[in-house]
Each structure stands twice: as C-alpha cells, then as structure tokens.
Amino acid sequence: MLLCGTMERCLNGFGHNYKAYPARRPPPKSAHVYFPTVYDLGNADLNKDIYIIAHVMRIGKMLYSDSSKKTEKTVGQQQFFKRPHGVYQGEEKDFHQLHEFVIRQSGKYNSLSGHMNYGLMISVKMLHGELRMIKEENPLLFKNVCLTSKLGFPDVIMPGDVRNDLYLYLDRGEFERGGKSTGKNIEVTIVVLDSEKNVIKNCLWGASGMEGTSEYNSMIIYHHNSPAWTENVRLTLPIDKFAGAHVRLEYRHCSTREKNDKKLFGFSFIRLMDKDGAAVPDGQHELYIYKCEDTQKLDNCGYLSLPAFAKDYEGNHEASGQFSRSHKEIIFIKTLLCSTKLTQNVDLLALLRWKSHPERIQESLQRVLKLGDEELIKFLQDVLDALFALFSTEDGNSTAHSGLVFHVLVSIFNLLDGSKYQHFKPVLDAYIKNHFAAALVYKGLLTSVQHCADWIVSFDKQEPIQKCFKSLEYIFKLIIQSRILFSRATGGHFEDNFRRDLFSVFSSLNKMLTINDSHIINTQVALLLTISAVYEQLTEVLPALEVTKLAATMLDTLPKDLPTLLVQAKLACIRNIVTSKLFHDDESRNILLTTTSKHLRYHLNRREELKLCTDILGEILGFLFKQRKLTNEQGKINNCIHHDVDTLCVSTLEVLIQTILTVIDKDIKIFGCLVACLIGILQLLDEFHYKRLWEVLMGPHQDRKPLKDFLLRAFLVFRNLVRMEVFPPDWLVIKMLTNNVILKALQEFAQPLAFKFLDSRAGYFDKELWANYFNLSVDYLTQESLQLEQFSDVKREKIVEKYGDMRVLMGFQILSMWSQLGECKLNFIPSMVGPFLEVTLVPEIELRKATLHIFFDMMECEQRARGNFKQVECELIDKLDILISENKGDDEYRRLFNTMLLDRVQSEDPTWKDSGTAFISSITRLLERLLDYRNNFYKNEFNRKEMYLRYIHKLHDLHLSAENYTEAAFTLKLYTDQLTWSNNLVLDPNYPNHSECQVKEILYRQIINYFDKGKCWEKGIPLLKELASLYETIFFDYKLLSDILKCQATFYDNILTQLRPEPEYFRVGFYGLSFPLFVRNKQFVYRGLEYERIGAFTQRLQTEFPSAQILMKNTPPDDSIINAEGQFIQICNVKPIPEPNPITLATDIPEKISRFYHYNDVRRFQCDRPVHKGIIDKDNEIKTLWIERTVMEIAGPLPGILRWFEVISRQIDEIPPVQYACETMRNVENELRQLITLHSMDPKRNLNPFTMRLQGIIDANVQGGISKYQQAFFTKEFAKLYPEHKVYAETLKELIINATRVIEEGLYLHGKLASTSVQPLHQRLLERFVQLKESLGSLNHQNSSIVNTPLPPLPTDKRLFMENGSNRSSNSSGNYGHLVEHHSVDYDNIYTKPLVFKDILLSKFPSFRGTSLHDLTFKYYKDKEECCMENDRPVLSRENLTLPMPINNVAPPIPQRESRPRSQGFNNTSFSDLRTPTKCPSEYNSSSLPSMKSRDSDPCDIPLPPKPTHSRERSLTKPPSSEASETCYVYDTDSGLYLSSKELLAGDRILGRGTPTSTQVTHMEYLTLEDSTSETSLAVSTNNLTTQVDSHDLRDSGISMTETHLNNFNNTCYEEFEIRCHQTEMNINTSPHEDSSKRRESASPFPQNPV
C-alpha cells in the first residue's frame, strides 16, 4: 500500500527530511514549496497509529532576535545554522519530542505566535496495489514524484528490487561543559570516507527530494551539552565502496561572538564493514568521542587503529596516540541496513565461503537454519550453489553433509510459500532452468524423499518431514532438471534406473498414505496438497499416461474411512489434478475422470465435504463445456468428450440428485452449488446419454425399481427447485437457464415414463410415478419466475426470443402425456382436476386453448366408467373457488372455458351432452360470480357445504389475526348453526372422527371465549344457557354444569361492572372507477375498533387504499367523481338507531344492561346534514337552517361476521328548525338531569364536569341563547308562515320552562357539593340564572302557575335514563305524576330574589341568624320533608319484559365516566370557541345551536305534554324495601326544587309537627338508593315521550343563539377529529362514547364569559 502525499511549506515528514528554503531566502510569493512523495506502507504499518510529522527548522543566524538591519550589513559574512523552529513551540531541548507532546496533549508546548496564515498544507491519498500498476493507473499523480523507501524491507520483496541503503540515526550525545558557565552550541558534521581515506562525494541524504551531499550538518540546540537531535541520514554507497569505508562524526561549538569560526573539539567514527565482510549490525551504537581541535589531524585517518566503541575488536584498546578519548563524553547513534547485496550475518558468509573453512561446514549449516528469511532470500542463488556443492560429490555420491544440506534446502523452499517471498518463486524457477548445473543430485534427492516416507513413523518431530513434503514441487523440479542435464550429458543412459528409483519413491509415498496414525496426519495432508504439482512436472520425463496412472494409484491407495483432514486433502488433491495439464490429455482424462467420479460418488453418498465435491464437479463441467464449445465452433465431433460426459452422468447424476434431496430442507450455503452442478450435468446430456442412463439403472435384468426410484427422486428435486428460491431473486439469467434445462430433462424423463411404466398390454401402470410427473409439470408451469406478464416488455421479449414461452411448451408436453394414458386417465380423477385447472388459469391464451380440452376428456372418461362425471364436477367447483380467491383467472378465461368446452360437447355430441352442457353453463356462472366477488352464494345456490365451511374457517382466521374476537365468534356461530346435538360424524378435516355434538360443544366453548374477549357477554349468555341445559338434562355432567354456571355468573357480573366503550360507526363511500366492482360507488357502514375515532379510522383506511383521495366534505359526490378513473373515499360518523325491543323501550332497566342494545345489534344508522332554505337572516340563521337526516339500513346487523356491511337502503327526511330546536332542548334537559342523578348518587364524584356544564348553559344565555329561539319561533310572523309547526313551537316553550327548572335543581345540588374555592363561581351562576329567568319573563307569565306546567321528569334511578328517553311506570296514565295545589307563597324567589327569600326564612328560623342562605334553605326543606313522608309504595311489574329478570335485582352503580378517555382541546375559562363533537361540515360553527342528540325515527310524532292532573302517582325503580335508607323526594312548588323526605322531616322538627306548614306538596316520587349513606341524592323522572333521546351522551350541554352555525351533526368530516384524553385529567365534561369526529367539546355550545 502506498501513501501518496504532497506538502506545501513542509520541511520534514515520515521520519525522512524534505528540502526547505532558508527563512531569510523564501521562495517567490507566487510559488509554494511543493514536495510530492510516495511512502510504502505494509500491513503491519496499517495496524498501527500513523501520524504525519513535520519538523520545521529555521535556517539562519544562531539567534533570531538580531535586528534585520544588522543582518543586512553582515549578510555576506554571516554563517547560517539549522535551528529548531515549528508551528508548535516548546523548550528547545525538548524539540526532539515535541511531536510526542502534541500527540499526547501533554501541555508542554504552545502554538507558534505569528500571523494566522502561517502553517502547513498537506494532501494525502491512499493507493492500494503494486507500485508498477499504480504508476500505470495514475500517471499524472506520479509526475515529478519522489519515492520514499520504507525504513526496512516491504512485506513483499520483488526479485528485481535492488537496494543498498544504510540509515544512520543521529540520536543524542553527552558532552562536557569545558570550563564554561553555559552549555555549548554543538553542531554534528557527518562525512563518509572510503578505504583510501577520501571523502565519498554526494552519498548523504538528509531529506527526500534533494540532491546528495558530501557532508551533513545537524541542527543546533542552543547552550545545551546533552542535545537530542533525532535526525535520520541515509547513506547510499556503491557496493565496492563499502569494504573499508567508515563514517566520521565531527563535533563543533558554534559561537555567536566568533563570526565565522565553528570550533572543532572532538570526533567519533564507525566502520561500515568488518574484516570478514559483514556490514555494521543494526541497532544502537555508543560511540567513543575523541578530542581533536585541529581539522588537519583528521585528514590521514590515523584514528582507525583506535576502537570506535566498547566492543570494537578491530581497534586497539590499549593504543595511545595523538587522539585521546574523552571518557565522560559519548554519542548515541542507530544504524539500519536495507540492502539486497550486503549481509550483516557472519554465519551466512561462512556458508558462502565454506571452502575457506571446511572444518566449520557443519556448524555453518546449523546456523543457517536459524538465519532470518531476508538474509537467505537476498543471497538465494549463491546459497543454493553452495548447498548443492556440499550435497554430493562430483561422481554423484552423498557426502557427510548431505542430510543437513537437504534440510537447509527444504527450509529455503518453505520460505517461498510465504506471502512475503511468493514473488521469488519465478526467481527460483529461473535459477533451476538457467543456472542449476548439478546433474547428479537427482539420485540423492530421490533417496532423501524416499527416506522421509519410509521412516516417517520413527520421527518424533514431524515438522522436518512436513517441510519436505510441502517442498516436493521444487524438490522434483530439481530432480527432473538434474535428470535432464544428466541425460543430455550421457545420451539417455541409466533411464531404467531413474524410472525404477522414481517408482520406488511413489511406492513409499503410497505406503505412507495407508498408515493410520494420528501422529502423521498433518504430514500426509502436506503430501496430498503438493503431489498434484509433482505430477505436472513428471510429464517432462515420463509419458502422461504413466503419470496419470501414478496419480490414480495414489488416490485408490487411500483408505475409504479417513479423518476429516485427510478427506479434505484428498479432495483438494483431486481438484488440483483435474485443473492440471494431465486433464487436457484425452486418455489421461478418461482414467482420471473414472477415478475422480468414483471418489466423488463415495463422498457425496456420505455427505462429506460437499463444498469440495461441488468445486471438483464445477471444474470438470467447466472443462467439458469449454471443450464442447470449441469442437462445436470447429464443426468437429469429439467422441472423447461425449464419452467423458457419459462417464460423469452414469457415475454421479444419481447420487447428486439423492444428495440434493437429502439437504434440500437444510439451510446450507452449498445447496446452490449442488443445484448448479446438477443443472450443468443435465445441460451436457443428450438423448444417447439418457438411454445409456436408463440401461445402467435397469441393469441386465430390466428391473424397473431402480429406474423408478431415480425418476421419483428427480421429480421431487425438480419440484422443490421450481418452488424454492434457490438463487437470489435478481438472478434471472440462471433461473431461466435452469427452467430450460428442467424442461428438456422432463422431455427425456417422459420417455421411460411412457414406455416403461405404462404397459396397457401387460396391464402395468405406475400411478405414483405418473402423478408425480403431472404434479411436477403443473408446479413448473405455474411457478412465479415463468409468469412473463410480470416482466417488462424488453425483458419479456428477450426471454421469449432465447427460450420461447416455456409454459406453453410444458403445456403441450402435459397434453401429450395425458393423451397417452388412455383408460388410465380415470386414475387421476378427481386428483388432477385442481392442478390442471391451475394450469388453464395461467394468463396465456395458447396454453389455455391447449389444456382446456383435458376437462372434456376427464368428463368423458368418468362418464364412460361411472355413468356420470360427478367427481369432476365437485372437484372443479371446489378448486375453482379456491384458485379464483387467489386472484387467478379473468373474464377472458370464463369466455374461453364456456366457448371451447361447449363447442367440444356440441361437435362430438356425446350421450351426456345435456348434462355436460348444463355443467359447463353452471361452471361459467360460477366463474362469473366468483370474478364478481359474490357473497356467500356457495351455500345458498350450490349447496357446497365443504366450501362454505372452508370460508368460515378462513374468515375466522382473518378475524383472529386482527383480534376481532366478536366477529370471529359470530363467524364460528355460522358453523354451529349447521350442527345439531346428534352423534352423526362431521365431514370436516379439522375435526376428524368427531360427532356433531362434540364439534358443536368445542365450537361453543371457543365462541364463548371469543365473546368474553370481545366484551360481548350478552351474546355468550344464551350459549352458556344452552350448554348448561345440555350438561344438566342430557350429559348429566354436573362438574361441567358447575363450570358453565360460574362462567355465566361471571358474564352477568361483567355486564354490570366492567367498562365497555361504545363503538363508533362510520359511513364510508367508495367512489371512482378504479375501485373493485364489489365496492365501486357503494356505501358501507364500518364498526370502529375499540376507542377508535374518525382520524385513526381514516388513517387505517388510507393505508388499505393508499392511492385513494379522501373527500373533505360530506356533500353527495357528483358524476365527475363517481365516473372518474381515480379512487375517492368519503368518511363520516353515523349514529346507530337501536332496534325496538322491550329492553330499549323500557325506562327502568339499569343503564349498564340497556346501553349495550343501543350500540349493538343495530342495522339502521342516522346521519344529519345542515341545509339552509330561503333567505338567510344574518342576525339569526336558525330561522332557515333545516336538517337533512338520512337513515340508512345495512345488509346485516353490527356486530356480525364482518366489521362492515353495505348500505342497502336510505331514507332522507328534512327536519325543520323548530323541531330540531325541540330535540336540542330535550337533549340539554336530559343531559343535565343525568348529571344531577350522577352527582346525587355519588357526592364525591369529580364536580368539574357538572360545574362546567352549568356554567355553559347559564352563562351562555347572557349573550343570547334562548332569545334566538324566542326571536325565531315565538313570533306571530312564524305562526303565520309555518302554521304546521305551531305544535313544535308550543313544545319548545314547555321544554325551555322545564330546562330552567332542571337548572334550578342543578344549582341547588351544585351549591351543596361545591367546595369553598368553587363557591364564588357558584354565586356567579346564581346571578346569571336570575338574568336568565328575567329574559324568559314572557314565557314565565304564560306559565305562572305550576298547576299549568307539566313537571319535569324525576329520574329515581339511573336505570331511567335510556337511549330512547321513554318512561315506563306502573299504573301511570300520563307523563307525570299526580299534581296537588301549590301554596300561594311564591318561593321561586329563592333564586330570582335571594336576599328577600333569606329575610323570609330568617323570620321563620330566628335562631339561624348569621348563617348563609344555602344553610337556611337546606334547613327549610328538611322540615318540609318530614311532613311529606309516604307510607306505601306500589310494586313494579316486569311481566312485559322478554328477558327474565329477578324482581329483587339491585341496579348496578352508574359507570364512572371519569374512567374513560376524554376529549382534548378544552379551556376551562372560555368556552365560546369550543364545539360539541358534531358531525356537521367544518364550515359550521359549533356554538350556534344546542347540540342535537335525538335518535327519533320520526320527530314529528312527539306528543304534546298532557295536562296536569291531581291524582297521586308513584314511579318506582325498585321493589318495596324495609330498609331505613329509602328516601322520598318531593317537588316543592314554592322553590321549584325536589326535596328529600329527610329534608322535609328535618324542617318539620324545627317548626313543630303539630304546626301545619304553608307548603303544599305538588308531586312526590320515591327512590330506594343503592348508597344508604347518601342523603343528598335527588331523583328526577324522565318524560314519557316517544322520541328516542340519547340521554347518556353528555356532549350537548346547552343552547346558544349568538353564533350563526349549527353543531352536533353526525356528519363531521374526518379532519375535525381530535384525540380525547381522560376527563378527570382535563377537568372537562364529555361523554366517552361520542359519535362525532370532533372532540374539542365545551361544557356547552353557549358562548362563555370568564368568571
């Protein structure tokens, strides 16, 4: 790897210096200093932290502080010194380690002061590869580049690399002070002198990119006697100059006062080569410093007789001369030799010069074995020459050193296998070919190899033997070259001896391979891995056929049961052989292929080393393909290749198929390679090969079983291949090739199928084999990769051009094989009806035309054999239903099916013509309806119960995966409806050997579980009762009966106690021609998920139809949308209209029980839309605002088997404004009554919703609420214009009066429950209410007497508040109870004139002076309560109810609405901007009208309130009880409030029981409270009106006329949606089951004023 970089204004980097301009002589401003360099990096370098370091030097005067003027005067005489500088600055003595401080962030440095633009610029690029190739690829990058060699050898040494560099690293020194008070300024000068004592010119490089110099001057550390220079200098000398050369280091003191004089005070030296020729060793050297002040004394180099360092044995340590050593001074340097010519090793030199010291040969050889690899490789040729000279004598006999020499040779050859020296193999090859001259060494080498093989077991250490076998390639290269040289010299003499010796060696090697010893396994592996290269070399001295036999013999010699390592080595050896030159020879290939196939078959059978087996097969197939292609191009026929393919096919095809079949279900990476090999073999086979294969498989006895087994396995493998994704999805080419090969193979496989396994004369027919063939053909034809319709036009054209439409070809093949069956066709009826039907459904017209005739044959065959074609008919209908549901088939197929089969029936005129025609017509109709996505016609029209049940299970599974438990239960209920409690067996594969009774019981339990999960307990109870009756009266299984009754009790308890959110319903319209036919331009009603609002529902539907556009308005779409090509969806909320039944019509059933039936089992839904009629009055738009009410009916009740049903009918009515005002007022009244009841029953309940609702109703009227109604409907003009609406106007008056009384009740209760912090708000509400009543003065005068006013209903239990708002009271003839004459005192002034009323009360109770008005009022009504106690109570009758209910049942508590999710977006201080969650379009403001909650099917049927009577009536919600907690509630005409009996009694005790009170009770009702401790509860009865009022929906809080738009319409668009949050968290009042999409609801639609 090369690091190519450029530096600008850079002086040093990578441990090498770069030339620089002196500071006083900078380059021109327009030019930058540009130093391109390339640095060689090895793998070890890349694993380290690499830094680029630039050492910046200042070239100039010693001290930088001198003035520039003085410098200019003396510039001609001034010497320049190299001084430390830098971008970072620290102490000068630490300059050598400044970069370490920067890297470690030690803090001992700081940035160089100066201008901001001072600095270095560097660019770096990493280049991978060989330098030569990189230069060719990047010629511009290497223009004028300087190559910086690595300090040391690179990872890979090329044979042509020549280098002779010595690096001298000037490290540091220790010098004496010399009698001076300050340190010296020491400069080191380096020079190199040769053996003639002359300075070698231009041999020193202090930096890359500069010219060589004769001397090198170091930098100067100012006044420092222990300087550290850390400078690297490269010495490049010619080889002949190294001997006798030395390096001298001269030390001078540079003074600032002595201008031109650098004073010499000492020197050191080091020799570059010792007397034996070894170069100076690498590492650190501590050089002696000799004193010298005269430069001339150094000229004659008289110091060379002195030692250079402590261990310098060439110098005389005892000598004394003109140079004395300074014992306290020393200098440290390091040297590194990077030379391909010089060596530092004395042992290597001793080997090369072995003739000089023959007695040291053995020692030298031993030491050479321990030498570093670099030293041996550098002198490879010389070392080999020396070794071969020592290996044998001149006559070829061995020497005393032959064994050790062989060991050294083996070690050298092993070095070449490493990656570092692998490029030296050509060098060794060139040496053997051109320089090797030992003609007699082949004998010794063969003997040495044979010795290693024969004595392998006796060696404890196997490493030398392993090295020998790893080096066999080069050993045999030397043997062969030696034999060739000898043969040339002797004219081919002793050839037989050579062959005998050679075969003897291979015999020993084969014998070694048979040894079963774990100790030598690695050695055997080494032999097998290298022997293939030997065979290729032997072809130079032996015929190829003999070499091939040697190879085959060795492979066959190996035992069968081998360790894994040997198996791998054996297969690797085979792979190397089939890729060698031997395999190119026809005769040799025949032998090798036979042997190889035998071993492959063995290992494939054992599933051993499949990767290596496939590699070998791949190499063989690749060679055979190339040879066949070559012969085809030449127009020749190669019989050898044909025979080789036959050998490979017969030997491996069967076992290869069996192997693939074995591993096909395992996740192994080699599977694709096995398949590729199979496809490759099949691609090579022709008709002859298949015939030969059939003959081999059947054998001489014509046994069909092996052939059948082979065909079955092949069919199974092919079938899995077309089903599985063997290759990546985007490998289209190989997929198409595979399909083409399989198609051709099936054409050949069909031959034995027709001629060997279909013998009509002998009566032999193999149904299993034929069935597998047909199923494979169908799977092949219908596979996804062959469906050309899914490809682009270009890709489809290319596939058809190369292969044709392979589906059509396979279709004709199927038809051909079918036609050969004859009477055997009956064996495939009805089993093949479905597969053939799937073939005909493929969208290819030619294929359909070819294969549709099969159905006629089936019908005719069955008709002839059985007298009918019932099985074909049934199977065709069933499978057609399944396949069409998988989006297969089209209308063209329907027409083609009808036309072709009818034409065939008409033309051939069979005896079954009429029934056939009817059947074909029936199937055509079935196709038409299936393609039309018909609903449940299976059971009704075709009576296919199994098909019906299959769809039930499908639908059940879909619901279960979506957690639609209720719908899943209803779906399974369809199944149970088909079952009885009999013991007849069911024909359901899901319940084999089960009776109908058992299956029904299992399904009932499953359904009950689903109803429990779906919180639909009411639907599960009848099933539990049915099971209970079964266990009690039929099975007499009381244990199960007990369990069922417990479950039933749990269900009843869950109904009363569990929280169940009411579902939202949405009308969805699908418009546009792009929708499927079954939803196109149709409307559906969807049942939302739990807590799902319109926003979430819209997002869910948008995901299902991503390309659809949501219509933002709820107006009916016009033709431009209905007939558009796109997709449009319209979504809005709808309100369910409960079906009339005794529970929904009753008023005294607990809310928890009745509420379920208002939101479930519903088929009709209501949707309101505001419409203006006439001229709009901008001051009061209510006059002209009508309501367009649409009542829709759907195909089935919800919940049901689906979460949606289609709208089948719609009825549109228009509601006049005054009628809608009545509905709104009624909703406001009912809602407030419900709040009163809730807070009466639970005084500790969160009061915020109640407070906000009261505030919304009362405070809104300050800005005009009811006054808008007065202006619009209570005028003579309205009576004249709309006489038919007069009855609604009168009703509205009564409702307004009733609402004010309910508000009074609410205020009374609110005052009792309000905390101290809320009391100021309560007082404000009282004041606002006074103003409200004053604004209704005209209405009050018209109804001044309570006798003339129907009392508001008194709900005595929460069970009274039903969805329809009706009141069912026993013995009651009217809407209200008996009225009595009221007292003359006007106690209505309690709120209208609170202070006057307080004076009246104080006159009655003088002892209560100082108390509040609220306490006085409470005391007063306590006294009145005691006077009005009733002693008897009528019993409520429930005989008219359909649901059996215990008489003494206790009503459950009212559900805590605070525990449900609530809406967001409320402001507790101002509600004028908030809306009720209506369903009107977004352009209508929410605060214009009271919210509409009526569920009236016909609002015009609302009767007028009956005239009051004076008969007493009681409305009871509970049977009589003797408990003391029962409380009677009395309506007081003076105050307009309901008073409990306890309050009245308390008042009587204060006034005295004998004193008659001035208050007359006008109405009294009784209520038994569930909470006996609550004495403050109030009961309010409901109006017995026929209109259906949603009294549980607390969204409508009041009325307001200040705004001009309506609210509370249930056709709100989806964007008006907002998620709710918990009511208690938001302190707001809203219902948890609101129907609209907008949830930003105020307590009232009235405009609010902050308190």
Side-chain angles (χ1 to χ4, degrees), residues 880 894 897-898 917-932 934 937 941-942:
L880 192 62
R894 177 188 62 80
F897 182 93
N898 184 61
T917 303
F919 168 68
I920 294 169
S921 301
S922 174
I923 295 299
T924 305
R925 288 199 309 275
L926 174 62
L927 271 169
E928 183 178 357
R929 299 189 182 191
L930 284 172
L931 295 171
D932 253 353
R934 70 279 177 273
F937 81 101
E941 296 203 12
F942 286 87

Side-chain angles (χ1 to χ4, degrees), residues 1117-1175:
D1118 53 20
D1119 291 341
S1120 63
I1121 293 179
I1122 293 176
N1123 299 321
E1125 290 297 330
Q1127 294 181 346
F1128 303 91
I1129 298 179
Q1130 188 179 62
I1131 306 174
C1132 70
N1133 288 88
V1134 291
K1135 295 175 64 176
I1137 301 176
E1139 297 296 318
N1141 59 61
I1143 295 180
T1144 57
L1145 295 176
T1147 60
D1148 53 356
I1149 295 177
E1151 176 192 7
K1152 283 280 190 178
I1153 299 175
S1154 64
R1155 195 160 186 78
F1156 172 82
Y1157 298 95
H1158 288 82
Y1159 288 90
N1160 297 277
D1161 283 343
V1162 287
R1163 299 177 67 104
R1164 296 186 303 131
F1165 298 87
Q1166 172 183 314
C1167 176
D1168 289 350
R1169 190 171 69 92
V1171 177
H1172 277 285
K1173 288 189 177 182
I1175 301 174

Side-chain angles (χ1 to χ4, degrees), residues 465-476:
I465 310 299
Q466 292 174 15
K467 285 185 177 182
C468 171
F469 290 150
K470 287 180 180 178
S471 308
L472 280 182
E473 178 183 359
Y474 284 100
I475 292 174
F476 271 87

Side-chain angles (χ1 to χ4, degrees), residues 111-125:
S111 298
L112 183 67
S113 60
H115 298 287
M116 295 298 293
N117 59 353
Y118 278 14
L120 304 175
M121 294 180 62
I122 182 171
S123 62
V124 179
K125 184 176 183 180

